[in-house]
Amino acid sequence: MFFAERKIFLGGLALLAVASGALCRAETPAADPVGEPGNVAVPAANPGENVVLASSALRSGLTGLALEFTDDVLAEDESAVGGGLRDAALRIRASALIERGRFAEAEKALDAVGESSSVKALYRAWAKIGESEIREAGAALAGVVEADLTPSDAAWFELAAAVVAKDAGDDAAAERRFDAALKRAVGAEQRAQFEYVRAWANATFVPELSAAELEALRARADAATDPQERVRLARLYAFSVALDANRDPEKRGAARAVLARAADEKIPPNTRAELDFLDGVLQDSPKSESARRAFMRALCRRPDIALQEAAIAGLWRNVREIMKGDGVPAGEKKAESEFASGERKNEEAASAAAAEIDAFFDGKEIPGVPERLRPDPAVADLELFARIRIAGLVGGRENEIEKWANEILEKHPNSRFVPDVLRVLADEAMARREYRRAVPYLERLKDAAGTEDEKAEIGIVLADCRFLAGDYRIASSAYAKVAESAGSVARRYAGTVFSQRVLCELNAGDFAGAEELIDAARGNAALPFDREWVFRAECFLIAKLRGSGKLAAAEKRCAEFLAQLGVPETYRLRVLWWRALLGLELEAPKTTVAAADEIGRMLDALPPDARLPRERNALRSGAALLKARGLLADGDFAAARAQLELLRAEFAEGTAVPASYLDEGRAYAERGQLADALRCFEKMIEICAAEPKFARYGIIAYFEAAQQEAAFGRFREAIARLEELIAKYPDSPLVFYARKRQADCFRSLNDFESALVVYESLIAKYPDHPDLRRTEIARADCLFALASAPQTDAGTRASSLRKAIAAYERLFSLPGDAYENGPGAAHELRAEAGYKWGEATAKSAESENLSPEARKRVRAEARKILWRVKNELFDRAARGNVDPSTRWGVSSGYWLARALFAVGDLCEADGDYDEARKAYKEVVNWGARWGIPGADYARAREEAIRDK
């Protein structure tokens, strides 16, 4: 057979098939965004993200890195990785292994792919081609349904079919297939790869030669006296050596020597360029400097366009191979530092090679290349695009890529590379996360697309960009257009498109629109995609409803979901889990207990190999914990304690154990059994100290234990507990709150100086913390307390009061967006600061240095400040016939009432009882209309001064 024993050539074809990343691109599903059950540790690595990273690494030629990412995905428990993600990782792994020449391993990866698909069959065909098992490749191609392939994959299918036909000796069929592959190629880069393969296939139509025959051919080439015959024999010998399976250095060197002697003849530039090209192919390594220089020499001859494209492909591969480095042998792994060091060296060497190629295209002298490259307007666009492709390999050259791409669009608007340039510009914009900037390029590509499938494929990317830019309404319309289009792409991605449409509606806040899409799909008996996409979309909806606080609506959807037949266990378990959590959130603890019991029964009934959303024991222990929480919320403390004891006995090593002590301790604290609560938290500390994986619970245990010490009035012991937490977990986010709680304990001990030191250190160390403003109010409170403390000297009291007034005034005057915890928190903190600003100002009227008139003026100023709280924060919010309480924080109304009572107190102190009555009346009115507290007390105060 023609290709028998030609593994180097066939392996090269297989490498070309994955070199552009076309095959690995197909059907990489998005990560499942549905949250996993609470109280179960979520893995640090996101499988969906690792699949995306693996695909990106493969497209960039970093096959070793792609394999590392797929290792991470496949190492996960099958229950933690959806079938779609796992199959995508296996397909990417197969591509990477094909590219590395590890064809047998690639086949094993394909064997593990769960689904039977045309894409899988196409991969297998290329793996068989790489092993020179051409008949088997033909059999694999028989399992491909062309209608199921994307345009790019369909082109690779035609090329594989051409190789099979060539091997069978059917030259006419092979040529037809080659023509079809070139016609269907998506973009200039894929066409260049196909031209390269076709050139190889046609040039290597040589007979099978034994070692003796090969040596005889070399001798004939050396002995030939006719220049044309010498060149012909030299080319034939060089091709034979290039295709030989052994390809030992001695033979390659001999072939290069024969080529060099043939090149001495007076031969046409195109033939000489062909010999230079062969010289590059015959070098010991495709990443060598000598290979690069040989391809440059070929280009300097300015041969025909096809040969120039082949030489440019050689330059591109040279840089790409340098970037890849030597790789890692199968079964081995480099140390991370060694891998990073090698990767940096590869990047530096590849950048140097790319810089040399840039200099070559700029017409500069290159060592080992006898002449400079002459400008040729006919191939100016080809050279610009070559520079774009090569720069894209090394990275960090986005500005140059953009410059060259725009030069093609401006100076060569009719170039065949325009679609590829638009793709490059779109890719660059997306790589920088400038998704709106990518849109016009994609729209031009879509308008120029020739087939419905090409339009749909680009339309999906266009819709994705709209989605990632946050333009959810536009994205939804774009996905809908894809769904309405005919062709294989729309059918193939129908489930993904449906899912994205649902996410668009949810992210736009249109829950009704999402429900309409889901309910229509649920009732459609002839869905164009797997029903699992509908189950997934329903999970999106439930999660979003719950996350948005629409708890009753989420519970209703849970009930409807669980009533369906044929729901896979993994989705049923998730929704049951959410229903258990919703039971606690909706104060329906019996629902929680029932859902937790159902989870337990399901897990008992499922076979050992069932795919689950998390590891089985983690689900069982988590469900047991949820049941205990439901019993506690239902007031059945004895049953809850018994459930917790069972949990600890059955799952002694699980994370639910420390969580169980946390729940029990908090339950004791709520019942006022502080000693029992402290005992639980101390047990937590003991358990967590012995097991590093429980560290996050250990932090909470220390904090809760300190809280109980403080509740006992043992503030120094609480401070010591918190210090232990800080020493043991110095990098925890709770350190901020531990320090703040220490300061609060110092205040409870009337040690205001120590508290002030801690508050000020927190403000200095955490200037961007979300609770910074709350800490600043606490500092101001501490200063106010110092100003009122009888043991403080007069100078310190006056200074502290001035600082407190200034701090309260500043916090009241800050705009709402200066507060990190949202508008409600900003409102209540500003209301608190405003009230305390007025109170501190009123306090300053007590100074012995003030005259009676001056004291009255200060009290009048305090009244104005307190009235500003009502006017600026509450009156303005109440305008427009909108309930202002929707814009308040939890305690905003409380601080308004305090401010109005303070106004009344000040008026009474000055004998202005009429104004005092009006202030108390305001409390009553605001209580009646908006529900602020204190209305009854205000009426009593008003009654007390009625006759004054």
Side-chain angles (χ1 to χ4, degrees), residues 763-776:
I763 292 165
K765 189 174 181 180
Y766 300 95
D768 299 317
H769 196 278
D771 282 319
L772 173 69
R773 304 304 179 199
R774 172 60 63 193
T775 307
E776 288 183 320

Side-chain angles (χ1 to χ4, degrees), residues 154-360:
W156 283 109
F157 168 76
E158 293 287 359
L159 191 70
V163 172
V164 171
K166 191 72 175 177
D167 176 70
D170 190 346
D171 292 343
E175 287 303 304
R176 285 196 303 273
R177 289 290 197 174
F178 276 130
D179 287 340
L182 288 166
K183 186 176 180 181
R184 298 178 80 167
V186 178
E189 185 172 325
Q190 196 178 41
R191 282 193 298 275
Q193 299 281 11
F194 290 4
E195 289 282 11
Y196 191 82
V197 172
R198 188 178 201 174
W200 264 108
N202 290 331
T204 53
F205 199 90
V206 295
E208 294 291 339
L209 298 177
S210 65
E213 290 171 330
L214 200 58
E215 180 58 27
L217 180 59
R218 186 188 65 78
R220 286 176 58 201
D222 284 344
T225 56
D226 179 71
Q228 289 187 354
E229 180 66 7
R230 179 189 289 243
V231 170
R232 187 185 72 80
L233 293 171
R235 289 173 66 240
L236 188 61
Y237 176 70
F239 273 123
S240 298
V241 171
L243 295 177
D244 192 276
N246 295 318
R247 291 196 72 197
D248 61 79
E250 185 177 341
K251 286 184 178 179
R252 288 197 299 270
R256 292 200 304 273
V258 169
L259 288 174
R261 286 192 290 275
D264 289 339
E265 305 294 344
K266 292 182 179 180
I267 53 179
N270 206 76
T271 304
R272 189 178 294 276
E274 189 177 341
L275 299 184
D276 287 327
F277 174 75
L278 278 171
D279 185 36
V281 172
L282 285 164
Q283 295 298 320
D284 292 342
S285 169
K287 64 183 179 182
S288 66
E289 181 182 274
S290 52
R292 186 167 65 252
R293 302 283 169 76
F295 295 132
M296 289 178 177
R297 288 197 301 274
L299 285 168
C300 283
R301 315 290 184 195
R302 286 302 187 191
D304 60 55
I305 296 295
L307 191 50
Q308 288 195 61
E309 288 189 349
I312 284 173
L315 292 175
W316 178 81
R317 189 180 179 203
N318 175 262
V319 175
R320 184 167 172 272
E321 293 297 316
I322 294 171
M323 193 75 176
K324 283 166 58 178
D326 296 326
V328 184
E332 294 183 16
K333 284 200 176 187
K334 288 186 178 181
E336 189 173 344
S337 59
E338 183 184 355
F339 181 83
S341 174
E343 195 175 53
R344 280 195 300 273
K345 289 178 182 177
N346 295 341
E347 289 173 358
E348 290 167 3
S351 294
E356 183 179 89
I357 293 169
D358 279 339
F360 170 73

Side-chain angles (χ1 to χ4, degrees), residues 515 541-543 545-546 549-563 575-586 588 590-592 595:
E515 288 182 322
L541 173 61
I542 294 168
L545 286 168
R546 180 169 170 257
K550 299 180 183 299
L551 304 181
E555 160 61 23
K556 180 174 178 289
R557 294 298 308 198
C558 283
E560 292 174 0
F561 184 93
L562 294 169
V575 174
L576 275 170
W577 200 284
W578 284 328
R579 196 171 199 193
L581 293 171
L582 284 164
L584 294 173
E585 293 159 351
L586 288 166
K590 286 183 170 55
T591 299
T592 299

Side-chain angles (χ1 to χ4, degrees), residues 545-748:
L545 286 168
R546 180 169 170 257
S548 301
K550 299 180 183 299
L551 304 181
E555 160 61 23
K556 180 174 178 289
R557 294 298 308 198
C558 283
E560 292 174 0
F561 184 93
L562 294 169
Q564 295 180 90
L565 300 176
V567 177
E569 290 84 354
T570 183
Y571 292 105
R572 184 172 292 277
L573 282 168
R574 282 180 182 166
V575 174
L576 275 170
W577 200 284
W578 284 328
R579 196 171 199 193
L581 293 171
L582 284 164
L584 294 173
E585 293 159 351
L586 288 166
E587 298 182 2
K590 286 183 170 55
T591 299
T592 299
V593 173
D597 282 338
E598 179 62 22
I599 291 169
R601 284 192 293 272
M602 273 191 70
L603 291 171
D604 289 339
L606 288 174
D609 59 347
R611 282 192 172 184
L612 302 174
R614 291 299 307 142
E615 190 270 328
R616 188 181 297 257
N617 271 350
L619 284 171
R620 289 176 62 84
S621 62
L625 186 62
L626 278 175
K627 181 177 181 179
R629 288 177 178 172
L631 292 168
L632 285 170
D634 203 27
D636 194 345
F637 193 72
R641 281 201 62 199
Q643 175 70 17
L644 291 170
E645 290 299 330
L646 283 173
L647 183 158
R648 292 162 192 161
E650 188 174 354
F651 306 104
E653 304 299 319
T655 55
V657 172
S660 73
Y661 283 105
L662 178 63
D663 287 347
E664 185 178 2
R666 287 175 173 170
Y668 275 127
E670 288 177 7
R671 293 161 64 93
Q673 296 173 245
L674 302 183
D676 290 323
L678 186 57
R679 175 184 53 77
C680 287
F681 298 133
E682 286 175 339
K683 183 65 176 178
M684 269 184 79
I685 291 172
E686 178 187 330
I687 293 171
C688 296
E691 184 55 72
K693 70 180 180 182
F694 296 155
R696 66 191 180 106
Y697 289 105
I699 298 166
I700 298 170
Y702 274 106
F703 201 90
E704 293 282 358
Q707 293 284 72
Q708 298 312 311
E709 297 281 17
F712 272 121
R714 300 200 293 253
F715 298 110
R716 297 204 181 278
E717 290 82 351
I719 291 168
R721 290 269 193 193
L722 293 166
E723 197 61 42
E724 287 182 57
L725 183 159
I726 294 163
K728 192 170 181 63
Y729 306 103
D731 299 323
S732 168
L734 270 182
V735 166
F736 175 91
Y737 297 101
R739 285 287 183 217
K740 186 173 182 297
R741 191 71 182 96
Q742 281 183 322
D744 296 341
C745 288
F746 279 124
R747 283 173 61 188
S748 297

Side-chain angles (χ1 to χ4, degrees), residues 41-175:
V42 177
N46 181 323
E49 183 180 354
N50 278 335
V51 168
V52 173
L53 290 169
S55 179
S56 172
L58 186 57
R59 284 197 301 272
S60 301
L62 302 176
T63 52
L65 192 58
L67 290 172
E68 292 284 342
F69 282 126
T70 59
D71 282 345
D72 291 341
V73 176
L74 300 175
E76 287 278 348
D77 189 282
E78 284 198 31
S79 64
V81 183
L85 281 178
R86 193 172 190 83
D87 286 348
L90 286 164
R91 285 194 295 269
I92 293 168
R93 184 172 186 81
S95 289
L97 290 167
I98 289 171
E99 188 162 355
R100 289 191 156 227
R102 289 155 59 181
F103 304 111
E105 292 177 70
E107 288 212 65
K108 286 183 181 177
L110 290 170
D111 288 338
V113 174
E115 62 174 20
S116 295
S117 68
S118 295
V119 176
K120 179 178 175 179
L122 182 59
Y123 274 56
R124 190 175 297 283
W126 278 107
K128 291 296 185 184
I129 288 172
E131 290 281 46
S132 75
E133 297 174 1
I134 309 303
R135 287 185 179 176
E136 290 81 355
L141 288 177
V144 175
V145 178
E146 287 187 64
D148 293 341
L149 299 177
T150 64
S152 177
D153 289 345
W156 283 109
F157 168 76
E158 293 287 359
L159 191 70
V163 172
V164 171
K166 191 72 175 177
D167 176 70
D170 190 346
D171 292 343
E175 287 303 304

